[in-house]
C-alpha cells in the first residue's frame, strides 16, 4: 500500500517498519503521556513535528501505542561497554580491537533495547592495552550510527609523576582519536589533586567535558575537586559517590553544597558499582544519597555502571531498573526517578532536552503501562525511537492457564496467542 494512502495502525509488538530517515513522517497513535493525556505524535526529520489529540493527525505510516506510556527516551551517562559481557570469560579478558568492538556493539544494542538512545562509556587508555580498547569503542560507535549514539570517556590510570607521563601522552592521543570526554579516578593516583588538575587543564584546553570516578569517601578531597572544577565548560560530573551515604549526614550535606556551588553533577549507580573507584562491597552502600544531594542543590543523574562484567556479573544496563531502584528505595518519586535517567542524564551528556512537544528531538520510549510508576514496576514491552525512527522493539507476552476464578472476578486477561479471549 503506497504511503499516500491511509495505512492500518500497527502494534509496536507487530512487524511494521518505520520509514528510513528523511522518507516521510511517522505517526505514533493513541499514546498516553506522563500527564495522562492521550495523543497522536507525528515525527519527521529527526524531530517531533506535531502533537495532537488522539485521531487528529493526518493519516500515514502509523504505530498504534494504545496501552503504552510515551516518554522522552532515557540515556546512560555512565557505562563500561568495553568490558561488558565478560563475567563468564575464562582467563584474561581479551582487549583486541575486534574483541572490544564486538562487546561494545552487543552491549550498546542491549541498552538500546531497554530504551537508551545515547550512552557515555568509560574506556581505559594506557598501560599494556594502550589505545586498542578506545579504537574498538570508536569503531563500534561508527557502526551503530543511526541506531544509537555513543560517546567515549578516556580513562587513564596514572597522570602524575614519572609514571604518569605515559598516561598523559596517551590521554592526549585519545582526545585526538575521538574521545569527547576526559575521565579517570584521581583517588587511585599517588597525587589525587595533581591528577584532577591535569584532567581539568587538558579538558579546558580541548573543550572537553570531564567525568571522574570517585567514591567520595574523603570530603576534603571532594571539596578540593569542586573548587577546581567550578565554572568549567562544558561541565564536570563525578560518580558514583557511594561513600557519601556512609558519612555523617552533616558532612555529606556539606559536600553536596560544595558540589552544587561548583555546578558539578553527580552520576549515581543504583544497579551496583562499576568497580573502578573501589566502592563498598559486602553490604556497604554503593549508591549515593540522592535525596540528600538533591536537597543540597546538586544535579543528580543515574547510570548503569557495569554490565555483566567482573564488577557486577548480573548487571542489566537498564535505565528503567535504575529509576525503579531510586523510587523503591525512597530516594525519589517515580517521575523524579525517571527524570534522573532521562532529562538529567541527557543534560550531563550535553545532549539537547527532549519533551513530547513539537520541535523537540524525536528521542522517545514507549512502554506498556498507564503511568510512570507502573512503567518502572513492570515495563517489559517497549518501543524505542531514535532520530524519528523506530529502532528497537521488545514484546513481552504473559499467558495464564484458564482458571475459572479469573473469569468470575472479571479480571483482565491476556488471551492465548491467536485465540479467542473466551
Amino acid at each position: 500500500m503506497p504511503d499516500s494512502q491511509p495505512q492500518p495502525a500497527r502494534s509496536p509488538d507487530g512487524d511494521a517498519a518505520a520509514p528510513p530517515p528523511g522518507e516521510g513522517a511517522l505517526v505514533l497513535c493513541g499514546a498516553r503521556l506522563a500527564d495522562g493525556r492521550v495523543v497522536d505524535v507525528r515525527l519527521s526529520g529527526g524531530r517531533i513535528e506535531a502533537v495532537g489529540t488522539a485521531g487528529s493527525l493526518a493519516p500515514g505510516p502509523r504505530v498504534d501505542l494504545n496501552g503504552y506510556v510515551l516518554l522522552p527516551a532515557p540515556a546512560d551517562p555512565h557505562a563500561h561497554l568495553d568490558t561488558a559481557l565478560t563475567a563468564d570469560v575464562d582467563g584474561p579478558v581479551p582487549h583486541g580491537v575486534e574483541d572490544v568492538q564486538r562487546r561494545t556493539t552487543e552491549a550498546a544494542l542491549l541498552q538500546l533495547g531497554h530504551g537508551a538512545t545515547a550512552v557515555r562509556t568509560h574506556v581505559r587508555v594506557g598501560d599494556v592495552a594502550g589505545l586498542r580498547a578506545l579504537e574498538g569503542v570508536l569503531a563500534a560507535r561508527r557502526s551503530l550510527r543511526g541506531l544509537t549514539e555513543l560517546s567515549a570517556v578516556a580513562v587513564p590510570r596514572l597522570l602524575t609523576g614519572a609514571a604518569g607521563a605515559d598516561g598523559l601522552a596517551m590521554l592526549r592521543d585519545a582526545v585526538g582519536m575521538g574521545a569527547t570526554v576526559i575521565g579517570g579516578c584521581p583517588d587511585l593516583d599517588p597525587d589525587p589533586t595533581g591528577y584532577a588538575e591535569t584532567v581539568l587543564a587538558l579538558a579546558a584546553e580541548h573543550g572537553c567535558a570531564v567525568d571522574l570516578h570517585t567514591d567520595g569517601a574523603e570530603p576534603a578531597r571532594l571539596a578540593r575537586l569542586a573548587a577546581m572544577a567550578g565554572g568549567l565548560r562544558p561541565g564536570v560530573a563525578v560518580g558514583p559517590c557511594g561513600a557519601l551515604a556512609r558519612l555523617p549526614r552533616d558532612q555529606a550535606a556539606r559536600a553536596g553544597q560544595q558540589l552544587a556551588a561548583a555546578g558539578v553533577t553527580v552520576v549515581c549507580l543504583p544497579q551496583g558499582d562499576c568497580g573502578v573507584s573501589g566502592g563498598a562491597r559486602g553490604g556497604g552502600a554503593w549508591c549515593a544519597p540522592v535525596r540528600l544531594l538533591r536537597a543540597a542543590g546538586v544535579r543528580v543523574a543515574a547510570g548503569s555502571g557495569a554490565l555483566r562484567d567482573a564488577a557486577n556479573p548480573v548487571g542489566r544496563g537498564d535505565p528503567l531498573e535504575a529509576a525503579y531502584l531510586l523510587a523503591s528505595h525512597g530516594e525519589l518519586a517515580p517521575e523524579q526517578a525517571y527524570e534522573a535517567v532521562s532529562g538529567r542524564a541527557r543534560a550531563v551528556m550535553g545532549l539537547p532536552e527532549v519533551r513530547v512537544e513539537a520541535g523537540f528531538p524525536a528521542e522517545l520510549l514507549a512502554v506498556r503501562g498507564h503511568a510512570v510508576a507502573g512503567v518502572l514496576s513492570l515495563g517489559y514491552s517497549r518501543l524505542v525511537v531514535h532520530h524519528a525512527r523506530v529502532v528497537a522493539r521488545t514484546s513481552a507476552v504473559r499467558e495464564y492457564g484458564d482458571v475459572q476464578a479469573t473469569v468470575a472476578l472479571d479480571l483482565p486477561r491476556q488471551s492465548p496467542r491467536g485465540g479467542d479471549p473466551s
Side-chain angles (χ1 to χ4, degrees), residues 12 31-32 65-72 74 113-115 320 338 364-372 374-384 394:
R32 183 180 297 275
L65 291 183
N66 180 45
Y68 281 68
V69 177
L70 185 64
L71 301 164
H114 292 316
L320 266 62
Y338 188 79
L364 303 168
L365 172 64
V367 188
R368 187 181 292 280
H370 298 286
V372 173
V375 161
L376 299 187
S377 176
L378 290 169
Y380 300 128
S381 293
R382 308 181 191 186
L383 178 141
V384 186
T394 299

Side-chain angles (χ1 to χ4, degrees), residues 53-200:
T53 57
S56 66
L57 298 185
R62 293 178 289 168
V63 173
D64 184 358
L65 291 183
N66 180 45
Y68 281 68
V69 177
L70 185 64
L71 301 164
D76 191 339
H78 191 126
H80 290 265
L81 302 189
D82 61 320
T83 57
L85 311 173
T86 59
D88 297 329
V89 172
D90 293 327
V93 173
H95 286 287
V97 174
E98 291 185 0
D99 299 307
V100 173
Q101 180 180 1
R102 183 170 54 253
R103 288 197 299 264
T104 300
T105 301
E106 183 178 356
L109 291 175
L110 283 173
Q111 293 196 286
L112 179 63
H114 292 316
T117 62
V119 178
R120 174 184 280 186
T121 180
H122 294 251
V123 188
R124 298 259 194 176
V125 299
D127 297 328
V128 176
L131 294 168
R132 291 196 301 275
L134 179 62
E135 187 178 346
V137 168
L138 295 178
R141 181 175 72 181
R142 291 190 294 270
S143 68
L144 290 166
R145 187 169 291 124
L147 287 176
T148 186
E149 296 183 18
L150 293 184
S151 58
V153 186
V155 179
R157 188 170 66 88
L158 299 175
L159 283 180
T160 67
D166 287 344
L168 179 57
M170 201 72 69
L171 185 55
R172 290 185 179 277
D173 289 343
V175 173
M177 286 175 60
T180 56
V181 186
I182 299 177
C185 185
D187 299 349
L188 300 182
D189 193 280
D191 180 4
T193 299
Y195 187 110
E197 288 175 340
T198 300
V199 166
L200 293 168

Side-chain angles (χ1 to χ4, degrees), residues 94-345:
H95 286 287
V97 174
E98 291 185 0
D99 299 307
V100 173
Q101 180 180 1
R102 183 170 54 253
R103 288 197 299 264
T104 300
T105 301
E106 183 178 356
L109 291 175
L110 283 173
Q111 293 196 286
L112 179 63
H114 292 316
T117 62
V119 178
R120 174 184 280 186
T121 180
H122 294 251
V123 188
R124 298 259 194 176
V125 299
D127 297 328
V128 176
L131 294 168
R132 291 196 301 275
L134 179 62
E135 187 178 346
V137 168
L138 295 178
R141 181 175 72 181
R142 291 190 294 270
S143 68
L144 290 166
R145 187 169 291 124
L147 287 176
T148 186
E149 296 183 18
L150 293 184
S151 58
V153 186
V155 179
R157 188 170 66 88
L158 299 175
L159 283 180
T160 67
D166 287 344
L168 179 57
M170 201 72 69
L171 185 55
R172 290 185 179 277
D173 289 343
V175 173
M177 286 175 60
T180 56
V181 186
I182 299 177
C185 185
D187 299 349
L188 300 182
D189 193 280
D191 180 4
T193 299
Y195 187 110
E197 288 175 340
T198 300
V199 166
L200 293 168
L202 192 60
E205 176 185 341
H206 292 277
C208 295
V210 171
D211 196 335
L212 294 171
H213 287 76
T214 180
D215 200 33
E218 297 188 27
R221 186 178 295 171
L222 204 57
R224 286 195 296 273
L225 174 59
M228 290 187 290
L232 182 72
R233 296 293 180 268
V236 177
V238 298
C241 295
L244 289 177
R246 303 190 296 276
L247 292 176
R249 185 177 181 84
D250 60 332
Q251 291 186 30
R254 189 159 52 250
Q257 292 163 1
Q258 292 163 338
L259 292 171
V264 175
T265 299
V266 170
V267 179
C268 66
L269 301 178
Q271 297 172 91
D273 193 15
C274 63
V276 173
S277 59
R281 290 290 185 270
W286 59 55
C287 187
V290 174
R291 184 166 49 178
L292 181 149
L293 290 172
R294 280 172 53 93
V298 181
R299 295 188 296 265
V300 181
S304 65
L307 200 171
R308 302 212 305 260
D309 65 14
N312 185 359
V314 295
R316 294 184 184 177
D318 185 352
L320 266 62
E321 183 183 53
Y324 156 78
L325 290 168
L326 289 175
S328 66
H329 292 167
E331 293 289 346
L332 297 174
E335 294 77 13
Q336 294 172 329
Y338 188 79
E339 177 67 10
V341 301
S342 57
R344 292 292 189 184

